[in-house]
Amino acid sequence: MSLPLSHVTSSASSPTLDAHGWDSGWAAAFAPYAARGLVPGRVIRVDRGQCDVATADGLVRADTAFVTPHDPLRVVCTGDWAAVDPEGASDPRYVRACLPRRTAFARSTSSKRSEGQILAANVDHAVITVSLAVELDLGRVERFLALAWESGAQPTVVLSKADLVPDPVGLSYLVEDVETVAPGVQVVPLSSTTGEGLDVLSAIVTGGTTVLLGVSGAGKSTLANALVGEDVMDVQAARDIDGKGRHTTTTRNLFVLPAGGVLIDTPGLRGVGLWDAETGVGQVFSEIEELAADCRFHDCAHESEPGCAVAAAIEDGSLPVRRLESYRKLLRENQRIVAKTDARVRSEILKDWKRKGAEGRQAMEMKRGRIR
C-alpha cells in the first residue's frame, strides 16, 4: 500500500540526511521510491561499480549494477541522491535509481570516443583551485570557469599557496589578473599554511554543496583538510621542479563540513576538455558577447568586417588580444565536441568550411587579376 506524501517526507528526513543536503524538494522527488520501501541516501564515493551511500541509518555499501546506463554522463556519481535497497532486502544491497540532478559538472574525456565524464552532481559552488607556486595560466582558469558556469554552480577562484608570494603588491596584481578573466566571480588568495583567506572561503561554502577543482598539485587536498577541520585526505608535496602534484586523490569524496554544507574533493585533472559548454563560455567572456551585440552584422566573425565593435575594442586596447583568442579557441573546441554527437551541427560546420573555402579561392583569383 502506498504511503501518504506527508509520512514519506517526514520519515525520510534525519540529522544525517539533513547534514548531507537533504531538503523538502529531494523528499518530494523521492516519494515514489519511498512508497516502494527504498531508502534515500547521498553518494559520497564511487569505485569499481560500487558506492558508499550516507543514509539515515549510517553508511551503506551498495552495488550500482542496476543504474549503469550506456550514457557515461548518467552513471552514479559522487553527490547523487540515490534510492537504495533497505537493510536485509538483498546481499549486496543495490542502488535502484538516482534522483534527477539539479546540477552536474561534466567534461569531455581524453579518449577518442567523444564521451562526456560526470565529475560531481548536485553542486552549488565550484571552487577552482589555482596554485601560486607556478606561473598563472589564465587560459586554464577560463576553461575551468566555462565548465563551472555550464554546470549551474556558482564558481569561486582560490589562489592557493598565497604565502609563496610574500609581497602584498605582487599578490594584488595576481588577483587582479585573475579577476579580469573571471567576471562575476570572487577571487580569494588563500594559504592553508598561514590561514589567510580560509575564513572568507569557509563563509562562501557554508551551506550547499561545494566541489573542489584544479590540476594536480594545486593544493585541493590540503584545502579540503583545512575546511573539514581534520586530515581526511592524504597530502604529498608538489615537485619542486614544476609544482606538479602526485595525484594523492584518486577518487571523488564527499565530506560534511563542520559549519554546515558538504564538500566534494576531486582528483587533479590533467585535461579539462569542454563538454557542450557554449553557455558557460559565453558567461566567461561576457564582455566580448556584449561588444558583439553592437557589431554591424549579426554574424560578424570579428576579423575584418566593417563596423565590428569587438575589433574596435582590440584597436583601442580595451579588449586584450589574448582574451579574444582564448574565446575563439574555446568556442571552436566546444563546436568540435558538439559536432561529434550532433549530425546537424556537423552539417552546418561543413557548409561553413565550404563557404569559406569558396570565398578564399575567389579572393585569390581576384588578387591574381583573373576576376575583373
Side-chain angles (χ1 to χ4, degrees):
M1 182 176 71
S2 297
L3 297 174
L5 178 58
S6 59
H7 177 78
V8 171
T9 301
S10 61
S11 64
S13 182
S14 76
T16 299
L17 290 181
D18 292 345
H20 283 82
W22 185 259
D23 58 30
S24 60
W26 291 121
F30 192 80
Y33 301 104
R36 291 164 48 189
L38 297 175
V39 175
R42 193 154 198 197
V43 178
I44 65 173
R45 176 187 171 102
V46 181
D47 61 274
R48 300 176 184 175
Q50 293 191 318
C51 61
D52 295 331
V53 184
T55 72
D57 297 323
L59 193 64
V60 170
R61 186 70 171 169
D63 197 296
T64 65
F66 281 94
V67 281
T68 307
H70 296 296
D71 184 353
L73 292 174
R74 297 189 181 278
V75 299
V76 178
C77 178
T78 302
D80 272 326
W81 283 99
V84 186
D85 287 331
E87 186 176 4
S90 65
D91 186 20
R93 294 167 73 172
Y94 288 93
V95 173
R96 299 293 175 172
C98 287
L99 298 186
R101 293 163 177 158
R102 294 177 181 175
T103 62
F105 195 99
R107 66 163 180 171
S108 65
T109 63
S110 57
S111 70
K112 297 181 180 180
R113 293 178 293 179
S114 306
E115 292 180 345
Q117 179 189 25
I118 183 75
L119 298 179
N122 302 311
V123 171
D124 302 294
H125 311 285
V127 175
I128 300 163
T129 311
V130 181
S131 172
L132 292 181
V134 294
E135 185 176 354
L136 273 178
D137 185 339
L138 296 179
R140 179 178 288 156
V141 173
E142 290 164 339
R143 182 178 291 271
F144 269 111
L145 285 170
L147 290 175
W149 282 121
E150 190 69 32
S151 75
Q154 169 65 45
T156 299
V157 177
V158 165
L159 300 182
S160 65
K161 308 181 184 182
D163 54 290
L164 299 181
V165 186
D167 177 18
V169 175
L171 181 59
S172 69
Y173 285 150
L174 292 173
V175 172
E176 184 177 336
D177 285 344
V178 176
E179 288 176 337
T180 60
V181 304
V185 175
Q186 187 169 356
V187 180
V188 182
L190 186 145
S191 169
S192 298
T193 301
T194 66
E196 175 190 359
L198 192 59
D199 56 339
V200 177
L201 183 60
S202 296
I204 293 173
V205 304
T206 297
T209 297
T210 300
V211 61
L212 290 180
L213 302 161
V215 300
S216 182
K220 298 185 303 303
S221 295
T222 302
L223 184 54
N225 290 340
L227 290 171
V228 176
E230 58 181 292
D231 291 341
V232 293
M233 300 301 299
D234 291 333
V235 176
Q236 293 185 18
R239 298 195 304 243
D240 292 335
I241 188 170
D242 55 11
K244 292 183 179 179
R246 297 178 173 83
H247 292 282
T248 53
T249 305
T250 57
T251 59
R252 291 174 282 280
N253 303 277
L254 186 149
F255 307 99
V256 175
L257 296 174
V262 297
L263 179 73
I264 299 175
D265 189 22
T266 62
L269 301 176
R270 290 189 178 91
V272 196
L274 300 185
W275 181 260
D276 198 5
E278 183 176 356
T279 301
V281 172
Q283 189 97 14
V284 176
F285 298 92
S286 56
E287 82 279 26
I288 297 179
E289 301 218 330
E290 289 172 5
L291 287 168
D294 293 328
C295 290
R296 182 182 301 177
F297 304 108
H298 74 277
D299 59 348
C300 183
H302 318 309
E303 293 174 348
S304 57
E305 297 88 344
C308 176
V310 174
I314 293 289
E315 185 69 24
D316 65 24
S318 59
L319 178 65
V321 174
R322 188 210 68 80
R323 186 88 166 137
L324 179 58
E325 290 176 345
S326 182
Y327 174 65
R328 287 171 170 163
K329 178 182 179 181
L330 292 185
L331 281 182
R332 285 195 302 268
E333 177 183 327
N334 190 71
Q335 189 179 47
R336 286 195 301 269
I337 289 294
V338 173
K340 289 180 179 179
T341 56
D342 190 321
R344 180 184 57 82
V345 174
R346 284 199 302 273
S347 177
E348 290 176 354
I349 292 175
L350 182 59
K351 289 179 182 178
D352 188 53
W353 283 348
K354 288 181 178 179
R355 178 183 61 79
K356 289 182 177 179
E359 291 174 352
R361 288 190 297 272
Q362 185 178 32
M364 184 61 69
E365 292 294 325
M366 292 179 67
K367 185 175 181 181
R368 293 174 177 173
R370 295 179 184 175
I371 298 178
R372 303 187 184 280

